[in-house]
């Protein structure tokens, strides 16, 4: 399993996220590729976050914030 997949999995298994957003057992097993194509906005947001933080060079916090804000403003929550 790739490092990005491991990081994503640790987010998806977090109890607080599971309680608040009802992440299913199947969704908790998603790879980065599956999460980036997910219909669940929370899962896709986490995948975008991990994807950008693992880029070289790492984008600034502002760039990541703007990317996630743009996505969340267009996603139906």
């Amino acid at each position: 399993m790739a490092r990005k997949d491991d990081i994503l999995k640790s987010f998806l298994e977090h109890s607080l996220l599971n309680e608040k957003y009802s992440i299913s057992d199947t969704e908790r097993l998603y790879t980065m590729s599956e999460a980036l194509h997910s219909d669940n906005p929370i899962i896709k947001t986490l995948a975008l976050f991990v994807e950008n933080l693992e880029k070289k060079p790492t984008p600034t916090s502002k760039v990541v914030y703007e990317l996630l804000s743009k996505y969340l403003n267009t996603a139906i929550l």
Side-chain angles (χ1 to χ4, degrees):
M1 188 175 281
R3 177 178 158 88
K4 290 180 188 180
D5 292 327
D6 290 338
I7 295 169
L8 176 66
K9 186 176 179 180
S10 69
F11 276 119
L12 294 176
E13 290 178 345
H14 195 280
S15 61
L16 184 63
L17 289 173
N18 283 299
E19 289 173 24
K20 181 135 178 124
Y21 299 108
S22 302
I23 296 172
S24 72
D25 291 338
T26 303
E27 291 171 326
R28 279 186 228 132
L29 300 175
Y30 278 1
T31 62
M32 279 295 296
S33 178
E34 293 168 323
L36 286 168
H37 294 95
S38 176
D39 292 332
N40 184 328
I42 299 304
I43 292 174
K44 187 168 182 175
T45 300
L46 290 170
L48 288 169
F49 180 74
V50 171
E51 181 76 20
N52 280 278
L53 290 182
E54 287 294 300
K55 281 185 179 177
K56 299 292 180 203
T58 304
T60 64
S61 296
K62 182 179 179 182
V63 170
V64 175
Y65 173 81
E66 288 172 354
L67 172 79
L68 297 178
S69 293
K70 183 179 177 182
Y71 168 69
L72 288 171
N73 284 329
T74 60
I76 299 172
L77 292 177

